[in-house]
Amino acid sequence: MKTITKEQVLNLLRKGTSIKRLEFLNNLPPNSFKEAAASLIVSNNPTVVILALTSLILEYCQGKNPEYGAILAEAVFERANEIWKTVQNHGLEKTTFSNLAYSHVKALSLLGYSEEVIKKADQYIEFLEKLEETEGLTSLKVLKIEALINLKEIDEAEKELQDDSLFENPISGIEAERLKGWIDQFKIDATTLRSQAKHSPEPPSPKSLLDIMKAAIDLGFEGEAGRSLKQQVDQLNLDNSISSIIHKKPAEYNQEDIEKYSRMLEALNQGEEFLGKEGNDSELSVGGKIRNASAIFVRGKIRNASAIFVRGTPAPDVIRDSLSVLKSSLEWANQHGITELENDALWGIYLCNSRLNQPSEAADALIQLRGNLEGMRRGIKEPLKRGGIFSTYPYLFNALCEHLQKAGRAEDLLEAIESSKGRVIADRLTEQSDAIVSDKAIYESVKRLRDLTQSKRFHYLTYFVDEERVYASFVSKQGKVYAIDPVPIKNSVLQNAAKNVDPKNWGNPIPSPRNPRAKIPNVSDCLAPLVVWLENLLKQGIIQKDDHICYSSDEDFNNVPLQYLRFKDGILLDWFSLSRVHSVFHLDLVLRKKISSPSTQYLGVVVPRLQEYEGKKEFVANLDAPIQWLEEHGCGHSIRLTDATLDRVTIESLDHRIVHFSTHGHFPVKGNPYHDSFLLLADEQGLPDKKQKIEKLKGKLTPKVILEEQLNLQDSCVSLMACVSGLAKEGIAGDTLGLDWAFIQAGASSLISTHWEVTPACAAQFFIRFYEKWIQGKQSRASAYRETTLELLNQNYTPDAFQSCTRDALQRWAAFSLTGDFR
């Protein structure tokens, strides 16, 4: 399909013949208004030509084809303005301008061009105010605020939301409230924007439709029936009704909940009868948006068919009837290109098949839903907006893994687990380039995984954490995919384990008035079921002692080192070498590169706190020790003490070398690790002062700085001799955000980082031994890492004495994890 420009469209509208205009129309992308527009676009009246294109533009810009819609809307707006100024008795309505302006900005928003959205919205707002056309102003302002949020200009967006008129308009007010919620949540913690998944299925929320109905009633329902419906809708206690449905499991609903929901369904159904009373071809204009009566009718069918589960599990015949309705609704929505209705229908189809014990069919519906959501992300460039798409269906991946597991579809389960990860990688690549990187391109590397494991002779293990259990998929070095039985460990258990990952805490009392004898559990033991199933593969000869396992964790499990989990008569590291990756896509990127010898180039960075430098010579000597070893066996330089500022580090050459940080690390208990996790460097005041509050210190190398300063660590091995540098927290797109993640995003080939606080003396021993084995001994990174850890552990630990010696030994030496390239 040919591309078009605004200038070409304008030239056609100014000088083109009726035949050329018709030819142009026929070459446009599919649109349900094409046939109606064909009889108008050949008119000699320029206003009629404008009106012919307006309907097409509305459909394109609402999502049918925003690329074409944006170009057409801008060009037609300019041509309409020319006609308005130069043609007497032109017949144009002011609403034509507001509709075209909104359509243009809406299309730009869907395409993710946030800066352009702000620029054009301001221009159109000024134009419409001069024209005294106020109908479309609030919608334009809301789109502008959304763009500001996408650009993370949170304060400016909050300032714009102080306009009371945004909330007075019943339609734009819904969206303004939503954006206000995003701002409030983002200011607390951007990583919590991803909703908590619920294991019990949720019926569809009627909130948005109910609010639109209220607006519609105010705009045009007449007579006694309209007044009666308005009274009924106004009496509904919306907050209580919604909370009673969404925040409770079906088994906990009481009769009052069911009655409230029933009244709401009745009101919605009556309202839809009014909206569709003129027949399937009628339309109602609400706040400048056209809503087709057929779509409203289908929406009601989908909602009612899905709502059967509110009252418990109905009889199979009732479920099958609902399933039939949902399938026909899906077909209608698909034919008319209404993705929102497709998604609602697919969710209902999943619910029905799940209750009919048809896991494979349920999974197929969820896979199709996932594809739709990925399609929506493809049309969006801004990372924050892309990341929020999947939060609409927070249970999607949980349900998908559950039903693929039940159906025995091992390869699809592997893809499902991987598709839940890696979306921030796609977002980063999208942000850094002109092209939008699709999610499918990210996890399509799953198809190459079997060849990778066979050619590189390693095993791949990936986890997905559900509320009630953990799903795992295992790909052997023979290239076979295994779906492991779900491990019945709750997410809450993993969360507590991640908080107490440091062995020094094990056995300490837990402050609990209910259970004064409660103690912090041994994480190595209590999470052992996550790896115990490997014993069966070991017995079958699928895996062998000393094999390498590359693994990808999930959620809080990322912060637990797999290597120290109890396995057979010792820990997992006694049996296998281990390394971490963020996803199959990350692994594929790493292993596609040629194996290279360890670099002899290095950069060392040494920054103690002021008090340590002044009073702890041994402390500083330990920070220096690994870098002194690199100096003796390679070439490079170090930046130390007050010279090691943030500005200095960001201008250093960091690619194709060993980059060793000997400094302090920080990971926030609360807050957003993208902004608040860091390596502590010097600043213009000198070394960091322990007496200063953390938030006052300026020398912070955060993930935000690493990415926004575009640090190039291509093919470097990064050593983080810094406490808690390997911790992460899940973000809105499913990835785990932290320093470890940021260095990988910046191109690092591998990292060694820590899960808890370690002494400089222990860390110095670890890194010197690792460098000796890797650089001098020419061992692989995985082998050097494993041998180093086991040698140090065995100083005061043997498998036979596991129970008596583990806590102290593991605290000293099991904190280090290898991420990335293990070769």
Side-chain angles (χ1 to χ4, degrees):
M1 190 176 293
K2 292 182 179 180
T3 57
I4 58 172
T5 65
K6 183 183 75 170
E7 288 70 26
Q8 289 173 335
V9 178
L10 276 171
N11 188 56
L12 177 72
L13 295 177
R14 290 166 180 160
K15 302 176 182 179
T17 65
S18 59
I19 295 174
K20 287 290 185 182
R21 290 197 298 271
L22 184 60
E23 181 183 349
F24 172 77
L25 175 69
N26 291 333
N27 287 328
L28 287 175
N31 192 299
S32 59
F33 291 97
K34 260 193 175 185
E35 188 176 343
S39 61
L40 300 177
I41 202 164
V42 296
S43 172
N44 292 324
N45 186 328
T47 297
V48 174
V49 175
I50 295 294
L51 296 177
L53 290 171
T54 300
S55 296
L56 280 80
I57 289 169
L58 288 170
E59 185 171 301
Y60 286 146
C61 293
Q62 288 291 337
K64 187 83 172 181
N65 196 315
E67 294 88 350
Y68 268 76
I71 295 166
L72 287 171
E74 186 174 20
V76 173
F77 183 96
E78 288 192 21
R79 179 56 182 154
N81 191 25
E82 291 173 357
I83 295 169
W84 181 277
K85 292 178 178 177
T86 61
V87 178
Q88 289 186 348
N89 301 320
H90 47 67
L92 282 170
E93 298 288 339
K94 294 180 180 180
T95 53
T96 301
F97 290 101
S98 58
N99 284 334
L100 288 169
Y102 174 79
S103 295
H104 183 205
V105 177
K106 177 65 175 178
L108 293 173
S109 178
L110 289 174
L111 293 169
Y113 302 148
S114 292
E115 291 181 353
E116 188 70 10
V117 166
I118 295 168
K119 177 182 175 182
K120 296 304 296 186
D122 283 338
Q123 291 176 4
Y124 287 137
I125 289 169
E126 182 180 1
F127 178 93
L128 294 176
E129 285 177 342
K130 289 180 179 177
L131 197 63
E132 297 183 350
E133 163 54 23
T134 60
E135 184 177 336
L137 289 178
T138 54
S139 296
L140 286 170
K141 290 176 181 178
V142 165
L143 288 173
K144 176 185 175 182
I145 293 167
E146 184 178 44
L148 289 168
I149 293 174
N150 288 336
L151 295 173
K152 298 185 178 64
E153 296 181 22
I154 305 300
D155 291 339
E156 185 63 28
E158 190 173 34
K159 180 180 176 182
E160 293 282 340
L161 274 171
Q162 293 174 2
D163 184 348
D164 292 338
S165 67
L166 298 177
F167 301 92
E168 292 170 0
N169 184 295
I171 304 302
S172 64
I174 299 170
E175 189 68 6
E177 288 287 357
R178 183 182 72 83
L179 295 176
K180 185 177 184 300
W182 272 72
I183 289 174
D184 293 342
Q185 189 63 63
F186 187 85
K187 293 184 77 174
I188 297 170
D189 178 1
T191 65
T192 63
L193 290 176
R194 184 171 186 254
S195 305
Q196 286 292 321
K198 296 174 176 61
H199 195 67
S200 56
E202 298 176 5
S205 169
K207 182 180 187 302
S208 296
L209 184 55
L210 188 64
D211 285 339
I212 289 169
M213 279 183 54
K214 287 184 177 182
I217 291 168
D218 290 336
L219 287 170
F221 283 171
E222 299 177 354
E224 183 60 33
R227 286 191 291 273
S228 174
L229 179 61
K230 185 179 189 308
Q231 184 179 17
Q232 183 179 351
V233 170
D234 288 341
Q235 287 176 350
L236 289 173
N237 189 331
L238 185 62
D239 292 334
N240 289 342
S241 299
I242 295 300
S243 65
S244 70
I245 297 302
I246 289 182
H247 300 302
K248 287 185 181 180
K249 295 181 180 179
E252 297 174 355
Y253 294 165
N254 56 39
Q255 190 59 38
E256 184 179 358
D257 293 327
I258 295 171
E259 288 176 0
K260 287 177 181 176
Y261 194 68
S262 297
R263 290 199 300 271
M264 187 171 295
L265 285 177
E266 183 181 353
L268 290 168
N269 291 333
Q270 286 186 31
E272 285 165 348
E273 288 181 17
F274 274 92
L275 296 178
K277 63 184 178 181
E278 299 298 329
N280 287 345
D281 295 326
S282 69
E283 292 173 346
L284 172 68
S285 178
V286 181
K289 298 181 180 179
I290 294 180
R291 298 187 173 271
N292 187 278
S294 297
I296 294 168
F297 174 68
V298 172
R299 184 196 296 274
K301 288 172 63 177
I302 294 170
R303 186 183 61 253
N304 291 328
S306 302
I308 61 173
F309 300 109
V310 172
R311 299 163 182 85
T313 301
D317 287 346
V318 176
I319 299 177
R320 291 189 188 97
D321 289 342
S322 287
L323 185 58
S324 178
V325 170
L326 288 163
K327 286 181 177 179
S328 63
S329 299
L330 174 63
E331 184 178 355
W332 186 93
N334 185 269
Q335 289 174 351
H336 291 79
I338 305 178
T339 305
E340 180 187 354
L341 293 187
E342 282 186 53
N343 293 346
D344 287 345
L346 286 167
W347 186 256
I349 290 170
Y350 142 68
L351 290 175
C352 289
N353 280 310
S354 175
R355 297 301 180 90
L356 290 172
N357 197 25
Q358 297 175 164
S360 192
E361 291 83 352
D364 286 338
L366 293 171
I367 289 171
Q368 190 175 343
L369 173 57
R370 181 188 70 188
N372 282 356
L373 296 176
E374 288 170 351
M376 292 168 67
R377 280 168 52 83
R378 268 198 304 274
I380 300 171
K381 193 171 175 64
E382 296 297 336
L384 182 61
K385 190 172 180 182
R386 282 168 65 92
I389 291 294
F390 273 87
S391 63
T392 309
Y393 294 91
Y395 182 66
L396 191 154
F397 289 105
N398 307 61
L400 184 53
C401 289
E402 176 185 348
H403 289 82
L404 288 172
Q405 173 72 44
K406 289 179 178 178
R409 293 164 58 174
E411 294 193 8
D412 288 332
L413 175 62
L414 170 64
E415 184 179 280
I417 292 176
E418 287 301 320
S419 66
S420 73
K421 305 176 182 183
R423 291 192 296 274
V424 164
I425 298 175
D427 295 345
R428 282 300 308 170
L429 293 175
T430 293
E431 192 176 31
Q432 291 168 352
S433 66
D434 293 331
I436 292 175
V437 179
S438 70
D439 296 308
K440 190 174 182 180
I442 295 299
Y443 67 79
E444 209 166 45
S445 51
V446 169
K447 295 177 181 176
R448 296 188 288 273
L449 181 58
R450 294 169 67 176
D451 291 335
L452 275 176
T453 58
Q454 291 180 79
S455 62
K456 309 299 181 184
R457 305 302 293 168
F458 72 98
H459 309 280
Y460 181 72
L461 170 59
T462 184
Y463 291 97
F464 178 85
V465 175
D466 180 51
E467 291 297 294
E468 301 295 327
R469 57 190 64 85
V470 179
Y471 295 94
S473 182
F474 184 83
V475 185
S476 71
K477 64 184 180 184
Q478 295 84 15
K480 186 172 180 180
V481 182
Y482 297 84
I484 309 306
D485 289 339
V487 181
I489 291 180
K490 294 185 177 183
N491 191 21
S492 57
V493 173
L494 283 171
Q495 289 174 345
N496 288 329
K499 292 176 184 176
N500 297 292
V501 69
D502 187 343
K504 74 179 181 182
N505 297 323
W506 301 347
N508 292 343
I510 300 175
S512 173
R514 293 184 179 180
N515 188 2
R517 295 183 180 180
K519 293 185 178 181
I520 294 172
N522 180 317
V523 173
S524 177
D525 281 344
C526 74
L527 297 189
L530 291 166
V531 296
V532 71
W533 50 268
L534 286 166
E535 290 187 35
N536 187 42
L537 299 182
L538 198 60
K539 289 176 184 177
Q540 297 177 56
I542 295 167
I543 58 175
Q544 297 170 324
K545 194 172 188 298
D546 301 326
D547 278 356
H548 183 74
I549 298 175
C550 180
Y551 72 96
S552 173
S553 296
D554 188 37
E555 296 202 6
D556 292 276
F557 191 26
N558 283 289
N559 296 334
V560 178
L562 201 69
Q563 63 265 17
Y564 84 163
L565 297 190
R566 183 72 182 271
F567 186 75
K568 292 178 72 67
D569 55 354
I571 59 175
L572 197 63
L573 199 65
D574 288 320
W575 288 82
F576 314 107
S577 62
L578 296 159
S579 62
R580 302 194 297 175
V581 288
H582 293 278
S583 64
V584 165
F585 178 75
H586 172 204
L587 179 66
D588 190 47
L589 285 178
V590 166
L591 297 186
R592 264 192 265 169
K593 299 175 182 177
K594 293 181 179 179
I595 302 176
S596 58
S597 300
S599 175
T600 57
Q601 294 284 327
Y602 75 90
L603 172 71
V605 180
V606 182
V607 184
R609 285 196 174 96
L610 177 63
Q611 290 78 4
E612 294 157 350
Y613 175 69
E614 291 178 342
K616 297 182 179 180
K617 292 183 179 180
E618 185 179 353
F619 186 100
V620 179
N622 283 320
L623 295 184
D624 277 322
I627 298 173
Q628 289 177 354
W629 189 95
L630 291 171
E631 183 179 346
E632 293 169 7
H633 297 86
C635 55
H637 67 281
S638 61
I639 47 178
R640 302 178 70 256
L641 307 177
T642 56
D643 289 335
T645 63
L646 185 61
D647 289 341
R648 173 68 185 276
V649 169
T650 57
I651 63 172
E652 286 284 337
S653 294
L654 303 173
D655 60 311
H656 298 88
R657 66 197 64 226
I658 297 168
V659 181
H660 184 107
F661 288 93
S662 290
T663 183
H664 288 277
H666 176 80
F667 190 84
V669 177
K670 296 181 179 180
N672 181 0
Y674 184 72
H675 303 275
D676 301 329
S677 62
F678 54 82
L679 298 178
L680 193 54
L681 304 177
D683 60 24
E684 64 270 17
Q685 302 299 319
L687 292 174
D689 191 336
K690 193 174 183 179
K691 296 178 181 178
Q692 276 189 294
K693 292 182 178 180
I694 286 179
E695 56 269 20
K696 297 291 185 182
L697 297 172
K698 297 180 181 178
K700 300 174 185 176
L701 183 61
T702 65
K704 183 176 186 289
V705 171
I706 292 169
L707 296 180
E708 292 189 358
E709 293 294 327
Q710 297 183 355
L711 300 190
N712 178 14
L713 287 116
Q714 194 65 36
D715 294 331
S716 284
C717 173
V718 180
S719 298
L720 301 181
M721 189 168 148
C723 297
V724 298
S725 53
L727 300 186
K729 183 188 286 190
E730 188 173 20
I732 62 175
D735 289 69
T736 46
L737 308 180
L739 284 166
D740 188 282
W741 167 85
F743 281 115
I744 290 294
Q745 297 296 305
S749 173
S750 65
L751 293 99
I752 293 180
S753 53
T754 59
H755 291 267
W756 55 80
E757 293 184 356
V758 291
T759 66
C762 287
Q765 284 192 64
F766 179 90
F767 279 105
I768 289 173
R769 291 201 187 197
F770 171 76
Y771 290 147
E772 287 174 346
K773 298 179 190 304
W774 178 42
I775 297 173
Q776 276 190 313
K778 306 297 182 184
Q779 294 180 227
S780 69
R781 277 171 267 206
S783 175
Y785 161 75
R786 183 188 181 205
E787 285 192 20
T788 295
T789 306
L790 290 179
E791 281 179 10
L792 292 167
L793 278 170
N794 289 335
Q795 293 176 354
N796 56 354
Y797 150 81
T798 61
D800 293 337
F802 183 87
Q803 294 298 334
S804 59
C805 297
T806 289
R807 177 172 159 171
D808 181 60
L810 294 183
Q811 201 284 326
R812 289 170 177 266
W813 310 115
F816 304 94
S817 277
L818 170 66
T819 301
D821 198 341
F822 53 83
R823 297 172 296 175

